Amino acid sequence: MAQAWRCAGLSWTAGGPVLIWDGGRRSALTWGKTVAFGVAEGGVRTCVGARGNVCPLSARVSTRSTGPRCEECARLDRAHSVAADTLADDPRPYRVYLAWFGPGMTKVGITAERRGSARLLEQGAVCFSWLGTGPLMAARRTEELLRAALRVPDRIPYAAKRAARAALPATGEARAAEIAGLHARALDLTGWPESLAPASFRPVDHVEAFGLAEAPAPVGVVGELAVGGAVSGELVAAAGPDLHLATDRGVLVLDTRLLPGWELVPAGGRRVEVPVRALKERPTAQDGLF
């Protein structure tokens, strides 16, 4: 019987995307590399636990969920985090950013300065610019200010980000235009925290880092993994948690958040033997800029 591996997720490094496995092993992903795995027979998808601890119930997790934890472990994992606003006394500096995912899709967010642009790569931001740097709560107040004054959201549904990547403007200048305007408007707002140092507009474009410039447009998305199923294809692009794989069914998007919780085994070829759904089309009409 082939050795089974458990995936801990996808990470972005200066060299590109990397798959992380339980035990610390890493698999660097480069364009043209074959990504191939099967789901072990007789297995189920189980909760990965929280904060280095195993799930005490070995709870089952939905095969379609992008969250690999049961409800209780997800609550514990989120506790004492920036996202849950439970680290108000964190003394480390934070950055506020504007991230662009496609026409009409800009969000504001914060990330620890020490993480650099990793958070933007993980979210699949096509283009971004820093707004300022300061203490955590000052960054939070700035984020709230932009949401209230400029109606810039702090979240965008991931399916919408994925659909927007299928029809991006051809030039970096065009991709940066929306956040350029918002950046200028944001710096003109009154009420900025004094402890947050504003940053000049310097757009960073990720189209080349994601490999999107030359990659064929995807035709579908892996909907879920299944016992005995397999996914195999050549990596042509990646953005956020998504891998774009050239398979026997065309280019398909594999959301790597579906992998944790399964026991995975080697597979070959370019076949896909799991449920696939059509790539969701982005609505042509929107109510307002965002």
Side-chain angles (χ1 to χ4, degrees):
M1 181 178 176
Q3 181 180 1
W5 297 85
R6 296 182 72 90
C7 182
L10 183 75
S11 178
W12 279 87
T13 70
V18 175
L19 278 175
I20 303 174
W21 305 92
D22 284 2
R25 179 183 173 184
R26 291 172 171 247
S27 300
L29 301 175
T30 54
W31 312 143
K33 183 172 183 174
T34 297
V35 175
F37 62 87
V39 181
E41 293 282 359
V44 295
R45 191 184 190 198
T46 56
C47 174
V48 299
R51 299 187 172 276
N53 300 305
V54 299
C55 176
L57 301 176
S58 295
R60 292 194 180 190
V61 179
S62 168
T63 58
R64 297 183 181 182
S65 175
T66 55
R69 296 178 174 86
C70 67
E71 190 172 314
E72 181 64 16
C73 286
R75 183 186 67 79
L76 291 173
D77 190 68
R78 186 175 171 82
H80 196 63
S81 69
V82 172
D85 280 333
T86 56
L87 289 176
D89 58 347
D90 189 344
R92 295 171 296 185
Y94 280 78
R95 281 175 162 175
V96 186
Y97 61 80
L98 285 171
W100 183 87
F101 300 90
M105 287 189 181
T106 300
K107 63 158 280 187
V108 61
I110 67 173
T111 186
E113 184 181 46
R114 62 185 172 79
R115 295 206 66 207
S117 61
R119 179 66 178 147
L120 286 304
L121 291 163
E122 291 167 358
Q123 292 185 55
V126 176
C127 182
F128 82 93
S129 178
W130 302 119
L131 262 177
T133 304
L136 174 57
M137 295 316 293
R140 273 288 188 227
R141 288 196 295 274
T142 305
E143 186 182 43
E144 291 289 342
L145 177 64
L146 264 68
R147 289 213 311 250
L150 301 181
R151 297 180 61 196
V152 184
D154 64 345
R155 294 183 183 182
I156 294 176
Y158 196 79
K161 298 179 189 179
R162 181 181 290 139
R165 287 200 299 264
L168 295 173
T171 67
E173 184 178 33
R175 293 190 290 270
E178 285 185 42
I179 54 173
L182 273 174
H183 193 283
R185 292 170 62 196
L187 293 186
D188 285 340
L189 291 173
T190 58
W192 269 61
E194 292 183 2
S195 56
L196 194 94
S200 301
F201 179 67
R202 292 189 177 89
V204 178
D205 194 278
H206 285 154
V207 163
E208 290 297 329
F210 290 158
L212 297 173
E214 306 298 330
V219 297
V221 180
V222 172
E224 60 184 301
L225 301 187
V227 174
V231 175
S232 183
E234 180 183 298
L235 184 68
V236 295
D242 286 350
L243 302 182
H244 293 213
L245 304 176
T247 74
D248 59 351
R249 298 166 68 170
V251 175
L252 299 179
V253 175
L254 169 66
D255 188 333
T256 55
R257 294 175 297 178
L258 296 174
L259 273 59
W262 287 107
E263 288 196 340
L264 305 176
V265 295
R270 288 162 62 100
R271 71 190 195 281
V272 174
E273 298 171 343
V274 294
V276 173
R277 64 174 185 270
L279 185 68
K280 182 179 179 181
E281 292 186 5
R282 188 179 173 199
T284 56
Q286 288 183 257
D287 182 17
L289 179 59
F290 305 110

